[in-house]
Amino acid sequence: MWAFLKANWRALLLLLLGVLGPLLLFSELAEEVFEEGGFAWDVSVLAWYRENRTPGLTALANALAGLGGVWVLPVVTALIAWLLARAGAKAHGWFLVLALAGAALLNGAAKLFFQRARPDVLEALVREPGFSFPSGHAMSNAAFGFALILVFWRSRAGWPVAVVAGVWAIAVGASRNYLGVHYPSDVLAGFLASAAWVAGLYLLMGRRWPRLRKSPKGERDTR
């Protein structure tokens, strides 16, 4: 047992923190939303955003919604995956594509299952169709950001990519609350679901393609 733990502690830690932990927290959120209709702090946070809206922040939130939406994010993901494949890192490229595609499919299924109504449309700055839980923007951009972090983590660009990708995912999620189209628990659930999905996908693909655990540029760039 000790030899197994010593040889596989990184994968086990990722399984615990990246998959099991987020799944447990997501199930707690989902149970509260499904049985009780949500949280009191959902309304309080949205009220705080409404009280602090400015023209500049509204323009920024709309820009984030556009860049992180269905017309831009998939194109950016496909472009990065193509560049990775051109550099000889096909496994990394496919991982990035599957991370985003899987998150989008899971989000659609979860929304149909929970069917949570969106916040009061009279308080929202934009109109969005469909259900609210979990946030599609938050889930897709968190999956994109987390996958990028895992792709480049073993390279010299690991920390800069992690900071930029993390800030991007949080900013897009916050913009959904600012615009009033999602409850904070929708965004948090999207983050948790994406973390579990991407970490699980990384573990599965990493066993089939061990190179995925290294830098896209190969050994010369692996730290």
Side-chain angles (χ1 to χ4, degrees):
M1 177 61 71
W2 172 248
F4 174 80
L5 292 175
K6 186 177 181 180
N8 298 279
W9 70 270
R10 289 186 178 87
L12 292 172
L13 185 63
L14 184 59
L15 176 66
L16 178 62
L17 299 180
V19 180
L20 299 182
L23 279 179
L24 288 174
L25 292 174
F26 177 86
S27 63
E28 289 293 326
L29 280 175
E31 181 181 4
E32 187 69 23
V33 168
F34 195 70
E35 295 183 354
E36 305 297 333
F39 302 86
W41 48 266
D42 270 332
V43 178
S44 300
V45 172
L46 289 183
W48 182 85
Y49 274 111
R50 286 196 302 270
E51 293 168 1
N52 291 276
R53 284 170 177 166
T54 67
L57 288 175
T58 299
L60 176 60
N62 281 316
L64 288 170
L67 293 173
V70 296
W71 300 111
V72 178
L73 184 62
V75 175
V76 172
T77 302
L79 177 60
I80 295 175
W82 179 75
L83 292 173
L84 287 169
R86 290 265 297 178
K90 290 184 179 180
H92 298 77
W94 277 113
F95 169 67
L96 185 61
V97 170
L98 291 175
L100 182 64
L105 291 174
L106 289 172
N107 180 261
K111 284 186 174 181
L112 288 176
F113 180 78
F114 293 105
Q115 296 190 12
R116 186 187 195 183
R118 291 184 181 271
D120 187 355
V121 295
L122 296 178
E123 301 290 345
L125 293 178
V126 296
R127 298 290 183 267
E128 292 281 1
F131 299 110
S132 189
F133 183 91
S135 166
H137 271 74
M139 193 164 173
S140 296
N141 285 274
F144 172 74
F146 190 23
L148 273 184
I149 291 172
L150 291 175
V151 164
F152 290 99
W153 183 245
R154 297 302 301 276
S155 73
R156 295 186 180 92
W159 276 109
V161 169
V163 171
V164 173
V167 170
W168 172 259
I170 292 172
V172 171
S175 73
R176 307 311 285 166
N177 296 150
Y178 178 93
L179 294 171
V181 293
H182 280 292
Y183 294 103
S185 55
D186 298 334
V187 171
L188 182 57
F191 287 164
L192 292 171
S194 280
W197 160 247
V198 174
L201 180 66
Y202 184 77
L203 288 172
L204 290 174
M205 291 188 66
R207 292 183 65 85
R208 176 63 178 81
W209 294 283
R211 188 178 176 184
L212 183 60
R213 302 191 185 109
K214 300 177 182 179
S215 167
K217 293 183 179 180
E219 292 289 349
R220 67 183 185 278
D221 188 53
T222 299
R223 58 186 176 87

